[in-house]
Amino acid sequence: LEEVRQESEEELERMKKKLSASFIMQKAYLLNKAMALAMYDSLGEVDLINQTPAIYEAITLDQVQGAAKKYFHKNNCSTLYYLPENRAN
């Protein structure tokens, strides 16, 4: 949680570029593009498929840190514990 609160501008730019590149590469496959178009159509915003990279690029460090401060609290999370099965041999 503290790491997200203290992200740098350089790290944010790296993450935005990675996210945008991943979004664009996924659309190289016809099925992924069709699924994205169907999802955006169900939201009533088909053109979001063209706007998403610009939306990612517009995210600011202040927005990320503000969201982290608002939502990332120890009392606002769930913890999942993976425990080994008890096996009787």
Side-chain angles (χ1 to χ4, degrees):
L1 301 179
E2 286 303 314
E3 290 176 21
V4 174
R5 290 186 181 129
Q6 298 173 6
E7 289 295 335
S8 67
E9 285 287 342
E10 295 82 24
E11 182 66 14
L12 177 62
E13 289 303 315
R14 188 186 70 74
M15 286 188 283
K16 289 193 302 189
K17 286 179 182 171
K18 185 176 179 180
L19 189 58
S20 291
S22 175
F23 178 82
I24 291 166
M25 291 303 293
Q26 287 176 357
K27 302 312 166 268
Y29 297 99
L30 190 57
L31 177 61
N32 290 345
K33 187 181 286 188
M35 288 174 39
L37 283 169
M39 180 188 71
Y40 293 134
D41 184 50
S42 71
L43 297 172
E45 294 286 338
V46 176
D47 197 46
L48 277 176
I49 198 164
N50 299 317
Q51 297 172 12
T52 300
I55 292 169
Y56 293 159
E57 190 59 36
I59 296 170
T60 67
L61 185 58
D62 288 338
Q63 289 172 317
V64 172
Q65 290 174 337
K69 288 176 185 174
K70 183 175 182 179
Y71 298 109
F72 294 166
H73 298 281
K74 290 187 183 229
N75 61 348
N76 190 26
C77 70
S78 299
T79 303
L80 177 64
Y81 296 98
Y82 288 94
L83 302 174
E85 286 185 32
N86 291 332
R87 295 185 183 177
N89 291 330

